[in-house]
Amino acid sequence: MTLDPVIRLRLSTMMFLEFFVWGAWFVTLGTYLAADLGASGDQIALAFLTQSLGAILAPFIVGLIADRWFAARRILGVPHLFSAVMLFLAGRQGEFGAFFVFAALAMISFMPTLALANSISFRRLTSPERQFPAIRVFGTIGWIVAGLLIGWLGWEAGGALENTFVMAAIGSAPLGVYAFTLPHTPPETTGERVTVRDVLGLDALAPLKSRSYLVFFLASILICIPLAFYYNFTNLYLNEIGVQSAAAVQSLGQVSEALFLLVMPLMLRKLGVKWTPLIGMLAWAPRYALFAFGDAGSLLWLVIIGLVAARGLLRLLLRRRADLYRPLRPEARARAAQGLISLATYGVGLLIGSLISGPIVDAFLAADGAHDWRTIWLIPAALAVGVALFFAALFRERETVEAAEVPQGA
């Protein structure tokens, strides 16, 4: 069955705005904090940790409220309106403590909307597996547009990154209003008794009795530790070494992601359960090595390759992570599993990564205010290799297939 073009347009617009808001301020956050608020690496990592706080709380917000009592579009709209105010206020603060409070409130309200946007999309698509990548790619385009705008406006070079929070607020407020006009998606479990077990998706832990599922679960958490170095410090690194319009240059990584999203159905058929995530994990080591040995001059091409190559491969890892939980049908249980995995990776994994990356970056800060980026980037490169070796040595694809064939409750 084909998808109504109007529904396709409306869902694509929602995805575009959703990720435009995120990309408008989050990419350049580290540079803004260092340049405008004089933040240390530890404080920068703490600010990025707000994403983890939001990811940890998201299953409770979605599971306890959206799935149980209210239509998803309403719960998508209210947090965006609230986040718009918090983002605007965050950009007006002159010291880190006050900024952190407003940024944390903005992210705690924003992170659940990622799952809500997906939920609204999947419930309106006639063939989600086939149609969703073409909808989701507009989110990547939104992130790219935000980066290009920041580069075109010269906010990094001009010391005007406080404007990114205004741009994010301008995107978030209309999205909050627009959300109320989206197709109605009533709660799926109105009136049912809800337990903490349901909200946390603890039934999704059943496959972890299989060693390979457990290995994959742990590797997904561990790979987010080196990933935190990228999220937290890439923009600061690019600006510090002298890359012009760094946010726009970073958007090249999202171009790669968009391409991988479109060709992913074909790639997933060709690659197995083991090799898809393993390639995604291994991609991070050369990315960081390229960052370590690149510069803004004759070796800028190393940095560009590092930005472009690994981003799309990471998408393979995240998508295969979802595919491993297909045996958890029905849909509600599969969604609970995804919430649990997201909590573990974007919540616990990136939280650990933020706590580790900040002190490391501070440890390699010279007296002149410059960082020893070569040493800094080689540390997450080594961590990524270690996680890939752990996964390759202990994961058995056959065990995963056999576990998938075991009926639920057996």
Side-chain angles (χ1 to χ4, degrees), residues 179-220:
F180 287 96
T181 72
L182 289 169
H184 180 55
T185 48
E188 297 180 280
T189 53
T190 301
E192 292 185 12
R193 179 175 176 269
V194 59
T195 66
V196 173
R197 184 180 186 86
D198 295 328
V199 172
L200 293 179
L202 295 183
D203 287 337
L205 292 173
L208 298 183
K209 296 175 183 178
S210 162
R211 186 186 72 171
S212 287
Y213 271 97
L214 178 60
V215 168
F216 188 90
F217 185 82
L218 293 175
S220 295

Side-chain angles (χ1 to χ4, degrees), residues 215 218-226 278 281-286 288 378-395:
V215 168
L218 293 175
S220 295
I221 295 175
L222 293 174
I223 199 62
C224 286
I225 297 175
L278 184 57
M281 293 174 193
L282 287 172
W284 285 93
Y288 290 134
L378 290 177
I379 292 172
L383 290 173
V385 171
V387 175
L389 291 175
F390 163 79
F391 180 78
L394 298 179
F395 185 85

Side-chain angles (χ1 to χ4, degrees), residues 345-410:
T345 52
Y346 286 105
V348 177
L350 284 180
L351 185 149
I352 296 171
S354 292
L355 294 175
I356 290 174
S357 62
I360 288 175
V361 170
D362 280 341
F364 294 98
L365 176 63
D368 61 358
H371 292 88
D372 178 5
W373 289 111
R374 176 166 297 181
T375 303
I376 290 171
W377 289 127
L378 290 177
I379 292 172
L383 290 173
V385 171
V387 175
L389 291 175
F390 163 79
F391 180 78
L394 298 179
F395 185 85
R396 298 289 183 270
E397 184 167 350
R398 181 175 179 83
E399 290 181 13
T400 306
V401 174
E402 291 172 352
E405 293 172 348
V406 176
Q408 294 300 315

Side-chain angles (χ1 to χ4, degrees), residues 26-65:
F26 211 62
V27 172
T28 57
L29 176 58
T31 301
Y32 166 75
L33 291 173
D36 288 43
L37 300 186
S40 65
D42 213 4
Q43 289 176 318
I44 292 171
L46 185 63
F48 277 95
L49 188 144
T50 58
Q51 174 181 250
S52 300
L53 295 177
I56 290 170
L57 293 174
F60 293 93
I61 295 173
V62 175
L64 280 173
I65 301 177

Side-chain angles (χ1 to χ4, degrees), residues 134-387:
I135 300 295
R136 171 59 181 80
V137 76
F138 280 90
T140 301
I141 293 171
W143 189 291
I144 292 170
V145 170
L148 292 176
L149 277 174
I150 294 170
W152 177 63
L153 293 169
W155 286 344
E156 290 162 292
L161 284 176
E162 70 275 4
N163 292 330
T164 60
F165 297 93
V166 177
M167 183 167 73
I170 290 174
S172 188
L175 176 55
V177 175
Y178 177 71
F180 287 96
T181 72
L182 289 169
H184 180 55
T185 48
E188 297 180 280
T189 53
T190 301
E192 292 185 12
R193 179 175 176 269
V194 59
T195 66
V196 173
R197 184 180 186 86
D198 295 328
V199 172
L200 293 179
L202 295 183
D203 287 337
L205 292 173
L208 298 183
K209 296 175 183 178
S210 162
R211 186 186 72 171
S212 287
Y213 271 97
L214 178 60
V215 168
F216 188 90
F217 185 82
L218 293 175
S220 295
I221 295 175
L222 293 174
I223 199 62
C224 286
I225 297 175
L227 175 60
F229 283 79
Y230 176 82
Y231 280 156
N232 297 3
F233 295 105
T234 297
N235 188 259
L236 178 61
Y237 155 72
L238 293 175
N239 278 285
E240 198 168 288
I241 67 173
V243 174
Q244 298 298 312
S245 301
V249 173
Q250 274 185 266
S251 68
L252 293 173
Q254 272 65 42
V255 174
S256 169
E257 177 181 321
L259 294 174
F260 271 87
L261 277 168
L262 294 175
V263 303
M264 191 178 297
L266 175 62
M267 298 185 70
L268 292 176
R269 287 196 295 269
K270 299 295 183 181
L271 297 172
V273 174
K274 180 172 184 176
W275 283 103
T276 304
L278 184 57
I279 290 171
M281 293 174 193
L282 287 172
W284 285 93
R287 158 177 267 191
Y288 290 134
L290 289 167
F291 283 1
F293 293 99
D295 58 39
S298 60
L299 295 179
L300 179 61
W301 63 274
L302 293 178
V303 178
I304 299 299
I305 293 175
L307 288 169
V308 173
R311 181 74 189 189
L313 292 173
L314 172 67
R315 180 57 55 183
L316 287 178
L317 167 63
L318 297 178
R319 176 57 183 266
R320 179 53 73 187
R321 182 187 70 188
D323 287 351
L324 281 174
Y325 282 84
R326 283 180 179 173
L328 292 166
R329 298 297 191 241
E331 288 297 331
R333 186 174 294 175
R335 188 170 61 252
Q338 283 301 290
L340 179 67
I341 292 286
S342 294
L343 184 151
T345 52
Y346 286 105
V348 177
L350 284 180
L351 185 149
I352 296 171
S354 292
L355 294 175
I356 290 174
S357 62
I360 288 175
V361 170
D362 280 341
F364 294 98
L365 176 63
D368 61 358
H371 292 88
D372 178 5
W373 289 111
R374 176 166 297 181
T375 303
I376 290 171
W377 289 127
L378 290 177
I379 292 172
L383 290 173
V385 171
V387 175

